[in-house]
Amino acid sequence: LRQVCAAAPPPPPSFAPIVVPPSTLGADLATTRGDASLPQGMVTFLVGDDKERIEHVSKNNLCARSPVFRTMFGIGMKERDAAEVTVSHTDLASFTALVRYLLTDQLDLGEGEGEQARRALVLRELAQM
């Protein structure tokens, strides 16, 4: 006699609710006035394996809102003067949500709880890139 044991699949991970911090958009943008260290111009992001485009994004505003972008477009890094920047290891929807949040303080993670949780994890990874 042969006995077969089948284990139930593990439950899906549970995620804490996504808490969006209070808006700092106005205060962040106010810091751009008179700050000559901020880069000028626009950038186009080429996102993911298919290099899908997010065009004409203000480097100045991204730097005011994100220390990651301030480092990327400042301190003599190659992206400072680049018109296009490739962003690998993510998808267009997640990166678009990140850019939209930085420029508007509005967070849209997509449809359904599972998709929101996945996109939130991707955004967290992007913020630490």
Side-chain angles (χ1 to χ4, degrees), residues 27-42 58-76 79-81:
D28 292 340
L29 294 180
T31 66
T32 65
R33 182 174 176 266
D35 187 346
S37 71
L38 290 172
Q40 298 301 307
M42 300 291 190
S58 166
K59 289 181 181 181
N60 188 300
N61 290 341
L62 290 175
C63 290
R65 298 280 289 155
S66 165
V68 171
F69 285 115
R70 187 162 186 120
T71 300
M72 178 185 286
F73 295 127
I75 315 175
E79 290 88 358
R80 181 177 178 103
D81 298 318

Side-chain angles (χ1 to χ4, degrees), residues 18-21 97-98 100-101 104-110 120 123:
I18 298 167
V19 178
V20 178
L98 173 65
R100 183 179 302 120
Y101 174 72
T104 67
D105 262 354
Q106 296 175 5
L107 186 60
D108 178 10
L109 297 178
L123 290 175

Side-chain angles (χ1 to χ4, degrees), residues 9 44 48 53-54 56 63 84-86 92 102-103 115 118:
T44 294
R53 300 171 72 84
I54 299 176
H56 309 295
C63 290
E84 294 184 342
V85 173
T86 300
L92 183 63
L102 291 175
L103 298 179
E115 179 64 15
R118 185 197 67 77

